[in-house]
Amino acid sequence: MKKINRNMEYLKAAIELKKYIKEINQQIIGKELSQKNPNIMFVKFSDGSVNELNITEFTNDFVSATLASFPGSESFIITDLATMSAQGQQLTYWLYKGYNNKTENGLVYFQVIDKDTLMPKGELQFSNLEKNIFYEIYAPDFEESSSNAMETDEEIKGKKSIVFLVGNMNEERLLHDIQRLIVDTINNVQRHSGLNFHFILNISKFNGEPSEDFKNRIKEIEHYTNEFVTSEYPNTEFVFDIEE
């Protein structure tokens, strides 16, 4: 298989997708809903251009057909103005589902609003991860890395310390899976906004020493994580430890 330089594409795509959902939420909040169906699909391309389409039917077939008409799209977000009953009250909210062509899971967020003024009530909130069935996602052609998590005995005031043991003999696959692990982890702990997490990634190259190229690329991922990931997910911090 031809080696393709995809360092940090997975991680960057996930962060950009979250930022894009926040951007769309800001665009929509308080917007006049003059049309009968206010739901929109935003299709974004690598050059930053965006096509907006009214959603005529809320089905996977509609989404897939729309994407097929826009080859080369990088990501998309679909909006849904919905209501639900909670604790005897009717809640009105915007639901956002976002997907990127480089990540295996989509992001689902919701923003509760006042049904009369359409203005926000509280903050944009994470709901769940959803499998990305709309894009064919690249992954190195090698078996997935082994990954185990355990809570450590280390006591850090106000933080939960968790170590991930991640290993593979194939460096490209290991780099991919480390990014995927970071993305899944930061999203899964979003619901625990009152708790901080200290994650240790213990990285092993099986059956040999890690190459200098691999170690340098891990350093790039570590720098990006500390610079950009933790700013988007402030209740997380990561330490990278390569076994040699």
Side-chain angles (χ1 to χ4, degrees):
M1 181 177 182
K2 184 178 179 182
K3 183 177 178 180
I4 305 174
N5 182 11
R6 295 179 180 268
N7 197 33
M8 288 197 300
E9 281 197 358
Y10 195 107
L11 191 54
K12 288 180 177 178
I15 297 301
E16 289 306 311
L17 182 60
K18 181 186 177 183
K19 289 181 178 179
Y20 191 37
I21 290 175
K22 289 164 63 177
E23 178 186 325
I24 294 300
N25 185 50
Q26 289 299 315
Q27 288 183 29
I28 286 180
I29 289 299
K31 188 176 180 179
E32 268 315 309
L33 303 180
S34 57
Q35 52 189 339
K36 184 178 179 180
N37 183 356
N39 300 319
I40 300 172
M41 180 172 177
F42 298 83
V43 183
K44 191 173 186 179
F45 299 85
S46 58
D47 63 358
S49 61
V50 177
N51 279 337
E52 299 182 21
L53 306 96
N54 291 336
I55 298 175
T56 56
E57 56 182 78
F58 240 90
T59 65
N60 291 342
D61 287 342
F62 171 83
V63 173
S64 296
T66 301
L67 291 177
S69 67
F70 294 110
S73 66
E74 179 182 80
S75 62
F76 72 91
I77 293 171
I78 54 178
T79 70
D80 183 14
L81 183 61
T83 59
M84 66 175 289
S85 180
Q87 298 179 340
Q89 293 183 326
Q90 285 292 111
L91 291 180
T92 302
Y93 61 95
W94 281 107
L95 184 71
Y96 305 104
K97 292 188 176 186
Y99 301 84
N100 189 285
N101 64 2
K102 297 181 180 67
T103 58
E104 294 179 11
N105 289 312
L107 302 178
V108 182
Y109 279 79
F110 66 95
Q111 172 69 66
V112 178
I113 62 173
D114 184 286
K115 68 176 182 178
D116 298 318
T117 67
L118 306 179
M119 298 307 293
K121 297 174 70 174
E123 302 293 325
L124 178 68
Q125 297 184 60
F126 174 74
S127 174
N128 60 281
L129 295 171
E130 194 166 274
K131 187 170 179 59
N132 187 352
I133 62 173
F134 301 107
Y135 289 112
E136 184 177 354
I137 306 301
Y138 164 87
D141 189 16
F142 201 85
E143 64 182 82
E144 291 186 17
S145 303
S146 65
S147 178
N148 295 288
M150 63 184 75
E151 193 168 344
T152 72
D153 295 329
E154 182 181 12
E155 290 191 15
I156 305 176
K157 188 175 181 180
K159 296 180 181 178
K160 184 181 288 290
S161 181
I162 299 172
V163 61
F164 289 98
L165 306 175
V166 191
N168 203 313
M169 65 178 66
N170 182 281
E171 292 184 345
E172 288 296 322
R173 182 74 210 202
L174 187 51
L175 286 163
H176 176 88
D177 290 342
I178 287 168
Q179 294 176 77
R180 183 178 62 175
L181 173 62
I182 293 171
V183 170
D184 289 350
T185 299
I186 56 181
N187 283 295
N188 286 329
V189 301
Q190 277 194 85
R191 299 184 189 90
H192 309 288
S193 57
L195 184 61
N196 293 321
F197 293 85
H198 176 80
F199 297 111
I200 302 168
L201 298 181
N202 187 277
I203 302 163
S204 298
K205 163 73 181 296
F206 297 154
N207 297 340
E209 294 290 321
S211 68
E212 288 301 315
D213 177 64
F214 177 81
K215 288 188 283 188
N216 288 334
R217 291 169 72 181
I218 287 293
K219 286 180 181 177
E220 290 177 11
I221 292 173
E222 180 177 16
H223 175 75
Y224 182 84
T225 299
N226 291 331
E227 187 76 17
F228 299 104
V229 174
T230 54
S231 62
E232 281 294 322
Y233 298 85
N235 67 328
T236 66
E237 64 179 22
F238 287 83
V239 174
F240 291 68
D241 179 26
I242 303 177
E243 290 290 319
E244 299 189 55

